[in-house]
C-alpha cells in the first residue's frame, strides 16, 4: 500500500487526528535483531536501517512483525520508507473473504521491494515507522532480516513457507540464451488455497490476497501451479515470482462452512501456513517447435502417400472405386434380356436434377404396388427399398453435404471470433484461471497460450480432406459407369449415394477446426465447440449405415440436422443447468426414453405407421391380437433383436444419468450417441456375415486397424490432464509433463490417434460392402 505525500508528512510530523504532538524516537537498528517495544498514541518509534546494494546482486529484505493476540483491539501502523518506495501495513492485519468476512492476523511478514540501482555499489537507507492511535500501550516485536535466497537459480528447487499475512516473492533473471522458462510451484498440501503470480520488476509488488490480481499473470493452485514466461514480455529480463495464500479455500474448491453472524465479527482463520517449493526451468526452444510441426505434418502426409501407393498398385477393372476396388464380374439381371432395355434402365444422367422431385409414388411401378405391401414383407431385399429414381435420391443426399457446409460456415465464424476474444482477455488480464490448459505442457506461440494442443488437431482436417478426395474419386468412377450404362453400377450392389460421405468428411474437418478453437481457451462455456461436430459425425455415421440398405426411406437432410440441432440444444442446456438439477434430468430422461420408443417404432415398421389420434387404439388392438388372443412372435425377428438391445442400452443410460447426474453432460450425451453407433455397427457386421456375405481384405484390415487405434486413443483420452468440472486449481492437479518430443502431451496423442481412428472408421463404412458390387440387389438382404 502506498501513502500519498500528505499522509506521509502528517505521519512524519506526528500530527494525530486530534492535533496532539507525539514523542518521536529514532533508533539506529540492525539486521537480524528482534526489537521488543511498546507503542501508544503519545509516542512514535522510527527504526533506521542501512545496507549495501549492488547492480549485479539483488538481496531481499524482509520485515516481520508480531503482536500478542490479547492486543488485537489495538491497531498498530507500520510504514517502511525506502528511497523509491513506501510500504505500509497494519497489525493486526485484517483480510476480507467472501460475504465480507474479516480475518485478523497478528503475525505479519512482508518482503521489501528493491528498486534497481544504476551504481555498481551504494549504501541505501530505509526507515520503519511504528505508530498507533490507541491510548493503551501495545507491545510488538519487530525483526528485519536479509533473504539469502531471494534470487532463484535455474533448475534449483527452493522450499519456503507462506501464509495470508506472510506472502513470499522471489526474483528470477533470464540467463543468456534462454528466452522462455516455465515456473513451477508445488506443495504436498491441498489446502490452504494459494495463488502464484508473475510480476514485472517494479514497485509496489502486489503480494496480498486482495491485490495479487492487479498486475501480471496469476493462477490459483492447490498442489500444482505452472506458468510459462517469455523474455519478450519483461523488458528488464527478469521478473518476480509471487506466492500468496488466500484467506479462504472456496476458489480452490474447498469448503465454505458458515456465514458471518455479525458484519463486523472477526473470525479466527486458524493455521493457514503452507509449505511450497518453486523451481524455474528453461522451456523448449524453437528447434523443438519445428520438430513438433514436422512430426505432425509427416504423420498425416504419410496417409496421403499410403493412399497413393494403394491406388497405384490396385489393378484397374471395368468398374472399380478408385483405390479401393477389385476385379469383378458383370452382374446378371434377374430378368431375361428380352424383357429389359438398357435405355429404360439407365436414363440420361444429363437431365436437370431440378426437374425431378421426390413424391409418394417414386416410379410408375409404385402406382400399382402399394408401399405398405412392399415394405412390410417378412423378408426384404435391397431392390425393394431402392425403387426411387436415382437422380431424386442423388439430389436428396447431396443436400446433406451442402447443408453441413452452410452450417459449418455460420457456426465456425462466431466461434473463431469468440475464442480470439477469450485469448485476448487472458493475455490482457493475466488471469490464468479462465482457461483449463495442461500448464505443464502448454507451449505458447505468438498470442496463443497452448499451440501444441491446437496443432495436434491438424490430423482431423488433413484426414477429412483425404477422405473427401477418396470419395470424390469413387463418385467420378461411379458416374462414368452410369454414363456408359454399366450393369454393375445400374443394378448390382448397394446403391451408391455419396452425399452422406461428403458430409462425413466435411464434419471431420470441422471437428478439427472447432477442436482447435476450443483448445485456444478450453473451459466449460465453450466445450460445445469441441463436441458439436462429434454429435454430427456419430449421427451421420448411423444414417449412412441405415442408408446402405434403406436408400428410399432414409431421413432427409432437413430432418436429420433438425434432430442434431435438438441434441446440441440439450447439450447446451445440460452444461448450463444440468449440474445437480434433478428437474432437468427427469425431463431429459423422459424425452430420451420417448425418443427411443418413437425411433424404434419407426425402424421396426419401416416408416409405415402414423402418429395420430388412433395410435392408442391400434396399440391395444395389436396387444390383443398378438399377445392375448394368440401368442405369436414378432414378424421381423432380426429388427426386433436390434431394437430390444437398443432400448436396453438407452434405458440403462437414461437410468444412469438420472441416478448419477454426471457433471459433464456434453460427454454423457456423446456417450449415448457413440453407444448407439457401436451397437448398430456391430449388428450390421453380424447380420452381414449371418446373411452369407463376406468382408473383403481391405475393409477387414481397416476394421482391425481402426479397432486397435481406437483402443489406444481411448487410453490417452481417459488420462484426464485437466477438467473444467472442477475449479481451475483442482484441474491443475491433473496436469502432467509432455510425453512426446517434449512438445505433445497425452491429450495431443488422443487427437492424433482419434483422427486416425475416425478416418479408418469412415473407410470401413465406405468399403465394407464392396463384396456386393457384383451381386443383384434382389439377392441382398435388408437388416
Amino acid at each position: 500500500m502506498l501513502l500519498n505525500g500528505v499522509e506521509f508528512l502528517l505521519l512524519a510530523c506526528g500530527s494525530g487526528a486530534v492535533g496532539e504532538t507525539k514523542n518521536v524516537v529514532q533508533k539506529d537498528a540492525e539486521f537480524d535483531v528482534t526489537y521488543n517495544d511498546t507503542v501508544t498514541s503519545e509516542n512514535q518509534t522510527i527504526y533506521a536501517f542501512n545496507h549495501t546494494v549492488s547492480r549485479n546482486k539483488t538481496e531481499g529484505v524482509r520485515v516481520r512483525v508480531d503482536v500478542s493476540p490479547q492486543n488485537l483491539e489495538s491497531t498498530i501502523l507500520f510504514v517502511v520508507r525506502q528511497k523509491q518506495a513506501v510500504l505500509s501495513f497494519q497489525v493486526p492485519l485484517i483480510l476480507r473473504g467472501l460475504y465480507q468476512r474479516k480475518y485478523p492476523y497478528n503475525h505479519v511478514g512482508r518482503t521489501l521491494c528493491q528498486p534497481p540501482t544504476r551504481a555498481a555499489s551504494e549504501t541505501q537507507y530505509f526507515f520503519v515507522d511504528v505508530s498507533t492511535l490507541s491510548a493503551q500501550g501495545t507491545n510488538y516485536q519487530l525483526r528485519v532480516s536479509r533473504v539469502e535466497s531471494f534470487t532463484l537459480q535455474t533448475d534449483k528447487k527452493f522450499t519456503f513457507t507462506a501464509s495470508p499475512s506472510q506472502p513470499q516473492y522471489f526474483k528470477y533473471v533470464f540467463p543468456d540464451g534462454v528466452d522462455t522458462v516455465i515456473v513451477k510451484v508445488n506443495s504436498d498440501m491441498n489446502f490452504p488455497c494459494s495463488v502464484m503470480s508473475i510480476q514485472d520488476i517494479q514497485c509496489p509488488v502486489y503480494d496480498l490476497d486482495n491485490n495479487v490480481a492487479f498486475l501480471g499473470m496469476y493462477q490459483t493452485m492447490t498442489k500444482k501451479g505452472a506458468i510459462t514466461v517469455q523474455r519478450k514480455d519483461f523488458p528488464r529480463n527478469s521478473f518476480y515470482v509471487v506466492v500468496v495464500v488466500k484467506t479462504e479455500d472456496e476458489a480452490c474448491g474447498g469448503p465454505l462452512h458458515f456465514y458471518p453472524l455479525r458484519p463486523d465479527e472477526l473470525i479466527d482463520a486458524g493455521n493457514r501456513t503452507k509449505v511450497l517449493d518453486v523451481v524455474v526451468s528453461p522451456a523448449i526452444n524453437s528447434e523443438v517447435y519445428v520438430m513438433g510441426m514436422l512430426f505432425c505434418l509427416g504423420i498425416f502426409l504419410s496417409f496421403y502417400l499410403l493412399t497413393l501407393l494403394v491406388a497405384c498398385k490396385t489393378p484397374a477393372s471395368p468398374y472399380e472405386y478408385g483405390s479401393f476396388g477389385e476385379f469383378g464380374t458383370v452382374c446378371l439381371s434377374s430378368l431375361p434380356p428380352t424383357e429389359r432395355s438398357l435405355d429404360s434402365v439407365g436414363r440420361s444422367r444429363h437431365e436437370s436434377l431440378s426437374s425431378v422431385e421426390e413424391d409418394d409414388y417414386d416410379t410408375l411401378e409404385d402406382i400399382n404396388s402399394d408401399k405398405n405391401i412392399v415394405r412390410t414383407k417378412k423378408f426384404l431385399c435391397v431392390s425393394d427399398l431402392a425403387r426411387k429414381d436415382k437422380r431424386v435420391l442423388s439430389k436428396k443426399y447431396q443436400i446433406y453435404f451442402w447443408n453441413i457446409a452452410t452450417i459449418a460456415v455460420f457456426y465456425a465464424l462466431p466461434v473463431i471470433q469468440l475464442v480470439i476474444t477469450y485469448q485476448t482477455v487472458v493475455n490482457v488480464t493475466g488471469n490464468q484461471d479462465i482457461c483449463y490448459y495442461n500448464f505443464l505442457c502448454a507451449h505458447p506461440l505468438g498470442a496463443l497460450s497452448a499451440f501444441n494442443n491446437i496443432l495436434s488437431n491438424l490430423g482431423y482436417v488433413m484426414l477429412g480432406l483425404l477422405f473427401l478426395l477418396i470419395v470424390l474419386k469413387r463418385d467420378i468412377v461411379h458416374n462414368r459407369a452410369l454414363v456408359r450404362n454399366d450393369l454393375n453400377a445400374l443394378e448390382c450392389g448397394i446403391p451408391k449415394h455419396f452425399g452422406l460421405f461428403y458430409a462425413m468428411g466435411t464434419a471431420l474437418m470441422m471437428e478439427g477446426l472447432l477442436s482447435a478453437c476450443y483448445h485456444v481457451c478450453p473451459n466449460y462455456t465453450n466445450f460445445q465447440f469441441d463436441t458439436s461436430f462429434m454429435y454430427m459425425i456419430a449421427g451421420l455415421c448411423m444414417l449412412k449405415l441405415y442408408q446402405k440398405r434403406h436408400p428410399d426411406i432414409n431421413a432427409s437432410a432437413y430432418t436429420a440436422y433438425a434432430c442434431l440441432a435438438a441434441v446440441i440444444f440439450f447439450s447446451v442446456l445440460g452444461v448450463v443447468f444440468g449440474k445437480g438439477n434433478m428437474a432437468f434430468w427427469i425431463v431429459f430422461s423422459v424425452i430420451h426414453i420417448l425418443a427411443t420408443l418413437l425411433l424404434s417404432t419407426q425402424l421396426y415398421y419401416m416408416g409405415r405407421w402414423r402418429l395420430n389420434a388412433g395410435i392408442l387404439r391400434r396399440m391395444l388392438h395389436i396387444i390383443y391380437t398378438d399377445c392375448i388372443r394368440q401368442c405369436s412372435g414378432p414378424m421381423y425377428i432380426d429388427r426386433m433383436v436390434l431394437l430390444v438391445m437398443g432400448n436396453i442400452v438407452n434405458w440403462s443410460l437414461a437410468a444412469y444419468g438420472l441416478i448419477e447426474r454426471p457433471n459433464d453432460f456434453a460427454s454423457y450425451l456423446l456417450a449415448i450417441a457413440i453407444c448407439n453407433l457401436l451397437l448398430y455397427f456391430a449388428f450390421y457386421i453380424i447380420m452381414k456375415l449371418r446373411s452369407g456375405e463376406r468382408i473383403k481384405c481391405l475393409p477387414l484390415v481397416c476394421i482391425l486397424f481402426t479397432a486397435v487405434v481406437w483402443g489406444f486413443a481411448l487410453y490417452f483420452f481417459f488420462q484426464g490432464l485437466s477438467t473444467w468440472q472442477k475449479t481451475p486449481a483442482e484441474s491443475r492437479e491433473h496436469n502432467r509433463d509432455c510425453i512426446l518430443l517434449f512438445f505433445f502431451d497425452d491429450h495431443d496423442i488422443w487427437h492424433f490417434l482419434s483422427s486416425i481412428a475416425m478416418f479408418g472408421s469412415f473407410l470401413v463404412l465406405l468399403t465394407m460392402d464392396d463384396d456386393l458390387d457384383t451381386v443383384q440387389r434382389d439377392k441382398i438382404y435388408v437388416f
Side-chain angles (χ1 to χ4, degrees), residues 292-305 307 454-470 504-513 751-752 755-756 758-760 762-763:
M293 288 186 280
L294 290 178
F295 172 82
C296 190
L297 282 172
I299 286 290
F300 300 112
L301 285 177
S302 65
F303 282 88
Y304 282 77
L305 180 60
T307 302
I454 298 171
L455 176 65
S456 58
N457 287 283
L458 182 63
Y460 296 106
V461 179
M462 294 185 65
L463 294 181
L465 178 60
L466 177 59
F467 182 74
L468 287 177
L469 294 175
I470 294 172
M504 289 162 56
T506 305
L508 185 59
M509 295 178 66
M510 284 305 303
E511 171 58 29
L513 175 62
H751 287 160
F752 292 146
S755 62
I756 294 171
M758 285 187 185
F759 176 70
F762 288 4
L763 289 183

Side-chain angles (χ1 to χ4, degrees), residues 19 121 154-155 306 401 410 420 454 482 496 573 603 610 649 694 729 761 778 783:
S121 177
T154 304
D155 286 328
L306 180 62
F401 167 69
F410 281 93
I420 290 174
I454 298 171
L482 291 177
K496 303 299 186 293
L573 289 182
L603 295 178
R610 292 290 181 268
V649 169
R694 63 186 181 91
S761 302
D778 58 357
F783 40 78

Side-chain angles (χ1 to χ4, degrees), residues 33 59 239 250 420 426 428 439 513 613 619 644 652 661 690 703 724 754:
V33 176
E59 191 176 62
F239 57 86
E250 196 214 17
I420 290 174
V426 171
V428 171
F439 287 89
L513 175 62
M619 288 175 60
V644 168
S652 300
R661 298 190 295 280
R690 183 170 172 265
I703 290 173
W724 46 260
S754 62

Side-chain angles (χ1 to χ4, degrees), residues 484-708:
R484 64 175 182 264
N485 293 326
D486 190 296
L487 289 178
N488 282 353
L490 291 169
E491 301 182 13
C492 294
I494 299 295
K496 303 299 186 293
H497 302 292
F498 297 96
L500 272 168
F501 282 129
Y502 286 122
M504 289 162 56
T506 305
L508 185 59
M509 295 178 66
M510 284 305 303
E511 171 58 29
L513 175 62
L514 293 178
S515 178
C517 290
Y518 164 71
H519 284 284
V520 169
C521 181
N523 57 66
Y524 87 98
T525 60
N526 59 13
F527 183 57
Q528 61 157 311
F529 303 161
D530 196 25
T531 56
S532 294
F533 273 81
M534 290 185 184
Y535 303 139
M536 293 276 195
I537 291 172
L540 291 173
C541 287
M542 282 188 280
L543 285 169
K544 186 59 195 179
L545 268 176
Y546 190 75
Q547 182 211 51
K548 281 178 172 287
R549 306 199 182 220
H550 309 77
D552 285 1
I553 60 174
N554 203 25
S556 68
Y558 307 112
T559 302
Y561 288 129
C563 293
L564 291 172
V567 170
I568 295 174
F569 174 74
F570 275 105
S571 174
V572 174
L573 289 182
V575 170
V576 178
F577 303 109
K579 190 173 182 179
N581 189 336
M582 176 60 78
F584 170 82
W585 282 99
I586 291 175
V587 172
F588 175 77
S589 299
V590 170
I591 294 175
H592 181 192
I593 292 172
L594 289 176
T596 301
L597 292 174
L598 290 174
L599 183 60
S600 300
T601 307
Q602 178 75 11
L603 295 178
Y604 185 78
Y605 290 107
M606 294 287 184
R608 308 315 296 170
W609 70 289
R610 292 290 181 268
L611 182 61
N612 51 31
I615 185 68
L616 291 178
R617 179 178 55 80
R618 294 195 298 272
M619 288 175 60
L620 293 175
H621 177 72
I622 292 174
I623 293 173
Y624 173 75
T625 56
D626 292 356
C627 298
I628 299 177
R629 187 174 178 181
Q630 62 177 8
C631 186
S632 59
M635 179 179 294
Y636 315 110
I637 298 177
D638 294 335
R639 270 182 258 168
M640 180 59 71
V641 170
L642 170 65
L643 296 175
V644 168
M645 294 175 61
N647 275 268
I648 291 174
V649 169
N650 282 277
W651 284 56
S652 300
L653 288 170
Y656 170 80
L658 192 59
I659 296 171
E660 296 295 331
R661 298 190 295 280
N663 293 332
D664 189 354
F665 181 80
S667 296
Y668 167 77
L669 205 57
L670 184 61
I672 294 175
I674 292 176
C675 287
N676 282 277
L677 174 59
L678 291 177
L679 176 64
Y680 190 26
F681 182 77
F683 173 81
Y684 192 96
I685 293 293
I686 293 171
M687 292 302 299
K688 180 178 177 66
L689 298 176
R690 183 170 172 265
S691 301
E693 301 173 11
R694 63 186 181 91
I695 299 176
K696 284 190 172 183
C697 180
L698 182 60
L700 182 60
V701 170
C702 289
I703 290 173
L704 297 177
F705 172 76
T706 302
V708 172

Side-chain angles (χ1 to χ4, degrees), residues 27-268:
K27 300 180 181 180
D28 291 333
E30 298 180 357
F31 285 85
D32 298 317
V33 176
T34 301
Y35 295 93
N36 291 282
D37 280 324
T38 301
V39 64
T40 66
S41 59
E42 297 179 355
N43 70 293
Q44 175 183 345
T45 305
I46 301 176
Y47 298 89
F49 294 86
N50 68 81
H51 66 134
T52 302
V53 296
S54 61
R55 186 171 56 226
N56 299 325
K57 181 181 179 182
T58 302
E59 191 176 62
V61 176
R62 190 161 180 82
V63 178
R64 292 182 176 87
V65 177
D66 293 328
V67 173
S68 173
Q70 287 75 24
N71 296 323
L72 293 181
E73 298 297 329
S74 301
T75 300
I76 305 176
L77 178 65
F78 291 82
V79 180
V80 182
R81 294 181 282 122
Q82 298 174 263
K83 182 179 179 180
Q84 298 180 16
V86 175
L87 171 70
S88 68
F89 56 88
Q90 70 177 48
V91 181
L93 180 65
I94 306 296
L95 296 176
R96 293 180 180 272
L98 289 176
Y99 310 110
Q100 298 302 311
R101 291 183 178 86
K102 295 181 179 180
Y103 298 94
Y105 294 91
N106 57 317
H107 304 288
V108 179
R110 304 291 296 276
T111 302
L112 302 185
C113 182
Q114 296 297 309
T117 179
R118 296 182 178 179
S121 177
E122 70 172 332
T123 300
Q124 289 188 357
Y125 296 88
F126 65 91
F127 304 90
V128 180
D129 302 345
V130 184
S131 61
T132 184
L133 293 180
S134 174
Q136 181 181 0
T138 304
N139 297 322
Y140 64 89
Q141 292 183 349
L142 172 68
R143 183 181 180 89
V144 178
S145 57
R146 293 180 173 86
V147 181
E148 300 297 335
S149 302
F150 183 70
T151 302
L152 300 173
Q153 303 299 315
T154 304
D155 286 328
K156 289 186 178 180
K157 183 168 67 174
F158 177 71
T159 303
F160 61 95
T161 60
S163 69
S165 62
Q166 301 179 73
Q168 297 272 13
Y169 66 86
F170 307 94
K171 183 180 180 180
Y172 180 79
V173 180
F174 282 97
D176 294 336
V178 176
D179 294 324
T180 307
V181 296
I182 180 169
V183 182
K184 302 176 184 177
V185 178
N186 298 289
S187 176
D188 294 331
M189 308 164 61
N190 277 339
F191 299 105
C193 177
S194 51
V195 179
M196 66 172 294
S197 171
I198 305 296
Q199 300 181 21
D200 198 3
I201 303 295
Q202 65 181 43
C203 297
V205 177
Y206 297 101
D207 60 349
L208 289 177
D209 184 21
N210 56 8
N211 62 19
V212 69
F214 288 177
L215 184 70
M217 299 177 287
Y218 65 94
Q219 62 181 220
T220 55
M221 59 165 288
T222 52
K223 286 187 174 182
K224 290 182 181 180
I227 296 179
T228 300
V229 186
Q230 297 177 284
R231 184 195 290 262
K232 66 179 181 64
D233 297 327
F234 296 92
R236 295 186 178 89
N237 296 327
S238 56
F239 57 86
Y240 285 137
V241 180
V242 184
V243 178
V244 178
V245 176
K246 295 183 71 66
T247 56
E248 295 174 336
D249 296 327
E250 196 214 17
C252 294
L256 196 60
H257 295 295
F258 54 87
Y259 292 87
L261 299 178
R262 294 186 297 273
D264 296 328
E265 180 183 8
L266 297 179
I267 302 172
D268 183 9

Side-chain angles (χ1 to χ4, degrees), residues 321-342:
Y321 295 109
S323 60
F324 300 95
E326 296 182 7
F327 278 112
T329 59
V330 177
C331 169
L332 297 179
S333 172
S334 58
L335 296 176
T338 57
E339 295 185 20
R340 59 186 172 86
S341 169
L342 290 180

